[in-house]
């Protein structure tokens, strides 16, 4: 873990597109609250191919990077040391400079765990249905496993759930797969403690009929809010947590990895709420 020390440091978020990233809001609020005068955080437009060269040419004061798509797989591959969870999930959203290279972690797992815990009444061993099997589904599976989850149903448009299912099984979950059109899916959703939507707009719009039968919904999307899935949940009286809670919780871990200090959670939450206009 990097120590805060007394020397100003810089960090950045890498991605494409990156201009709308709220990571500078979160990290800037954290550095101010921690009294880290002179610490800066910027957005850098960067695709997966550019990431290794950019990271290798980092300025001397660069302590770390937040990494959004499409660079999360490249970040994992470029690191000298990789956390166990990043290895299992297969992507890294965080690079931290160490003396002998770059350390990769996936605090997206913290994002998922924190968002699931935000329901407040989730059973200790939750059963879940996850809609979508892309890169975002894997940190969600790790988050479920961290909360003691046992059974997960992965639902996909095509027969392509294998990599996500393998990830879930490596995490110790009992994973089964179905197509989104499978007639058994509404029943699975009704029985599950939580349904997680990882399908982006506009693809989720024809799935909103499934959402009404859920007990709880975590939608990894958050802007604009409500999303199609979030609106369907609200209309049906289904408790819903949005992806902004995931964003906030993944940033806590990044701040702590970059600074070596406990994340100022209240100040970061307030800054995000202000940025999203949700006071």
């Amino acid at each position: 873990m990097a120590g805060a020390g007394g020397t100003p440091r810089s960090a950045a978020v890498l991605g494409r597109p990156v201009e709308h990233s709220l990571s500078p809001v979160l990290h800037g609020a954290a550095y101010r609250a921690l009294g880290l005068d002179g610490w800066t955080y910027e957005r850098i437009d960067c695709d997966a191919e550019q990431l290794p060269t950019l990271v290798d040419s980092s300025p001397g004061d660069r302590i770390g990077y937040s990494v959004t798509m499409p660079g999360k797989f490249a970040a994992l591959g470029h690191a000298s040391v990789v956390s166990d969870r990043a290895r299992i999930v297969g992507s890294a959203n965080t690079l931290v400079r160490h003396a002998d290279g770059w350390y990769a972690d996936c605090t997206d797992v913290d994002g998922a765990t924190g968002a699931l815990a935000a329901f407040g009444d989730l059973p200790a061993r939750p059963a879940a249905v996850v809609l979508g099997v892309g890169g975002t589904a894997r940190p969600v599976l790790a988050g479920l496993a961290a909360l003691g989850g046992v059974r997960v149903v992965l639902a996909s448009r095509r027969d392509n759930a294998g990599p996500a299912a393998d990830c879930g099984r490596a995490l110790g979950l009992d994973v089964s797969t179905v197509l989104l059109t499978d007639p058994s899916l509404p029943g699975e959703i009704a029985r599950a403690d939580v349904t997680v939507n990882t399908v982006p707009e506009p693809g989720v719009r024809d799935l909103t009929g499934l959402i009404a039968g859920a007990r709880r919904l975590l939608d990894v999307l958050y802007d604009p809010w409500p999303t199609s899935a979030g609106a369907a949940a609200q209309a049906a009286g289904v408790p819903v947590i949005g992806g902004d809670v995931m964003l906030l919780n993944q940033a806590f871990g990044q701040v702590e990895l970059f600074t070596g200090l406990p994340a100022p959670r209240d100040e970061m939450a307030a800054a995000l709420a202000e940025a999203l206009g949700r006071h």
Side-chain angles (χ1 to χ4, degrees):
M1 180 177 291
T7 304
R9 303 286 188 181
S10 70
V13 55
L14 307 178
R16 179 171 295 171
V18 76
E19 60 268 17
H20 300 300
S21 171
L22 291 174
S23 290
V25 171
L26 291 161
H27 285 258
Y31 301 162
R32 288 190 297 273
L34 292 170
L36 297 176
D37 297 334
W39 280 54
T40 62
Y41 189 100
E42 63 181 314
R43 300 178 181 90
I44 300 176
D45 182 90
C46 175
D47 64 18
E49 290 72 26
Q50 295 168 326
L51 185 143
T53 299
L54 190 150
V55 170
D56 285 344
S57 61
S58 297
D61 67 351
R62 183 62 42 84
I63 195 67
Y65 292 100
S66 309
V67 184
T68 67
M69 293 305 289
K72 293 185 179 184
F73 307 113
L76 182 74
H78 190 62
S80 306
V81 181
V82 175
S83 71
D84 288 342
R85 62 185 184 176
R87 177 182 53 79
I88 293 173
V89 168
S91 67
N93 76 325
T94 308
L95 288 171
V96 185
R97 190 176 217 150
H98 285 189
D100 55 352
W102 293 89
Y103 169 75
D105 194 12
C106 185
T107 69
D108 286 333
V109 177
D110 300 329
T113 304
L116 289 163
F119 285 108
D121 62 352
L122 200 64
R125 296 168 65 83
V129 171
V130 178
L131 306 178
V133 295
T136 308
R138 298 186 196 184
V140 167
L141 292 171
L144 286 162
L147 290 176
V150 177
R151 183 169 185 270
V152 177
V153 176
L154 288 172
S156 57
R157 291 192 187 280
R158 301 179 301 280
D159 187 17
N160 63 341
D166 290 343
C167 172
R169 291 171 186 136
L171 291 160
L173 297 168
D174 176 9
V175 180
S176 58
T177 63
V178 300
L179 294 177
L180 286 164
T181 53
D182 194 294
S184 69
L185 184 56
E188 295 285 4
I189 288 173
R191 287 188 291 273
D193 297 303
V194 61
T195 297
V196 183
N197 175 55
T198 72
V199 179
E201 303 279 7
V204 71
R205 292 175 190 166
D206 58 355
L207 304 177
T208 54
L210 295 169
I211 302 300
R215 296 183 186 179
R216 300 170 186 84
L217 174 72
L218 168 59
D219 191 349
V220 304
L221 309 176
Y222 64 90
D223 192 28
W225 188 263
T227 60
S228 297
Q234 290 173 344
V238 175
V240 57
I241 297 292
D244 57 309
V245 183
M246 287 185 64
L247 176 68
L248 180 63
N249 278 271
Q250 65 81 30
F252 294 153
Q254 284 188 341
V255 165
E256 292 174 356
L257 284 167
F258 291 174
T259 69
L261 299 170
R265 298 189 171 211
D266 290 345
E267 290 86 349
M268 292 171 69
L272 181 61
E274 181 177 1
L276 291 173
R278 302 179 197 172
H279 304 290

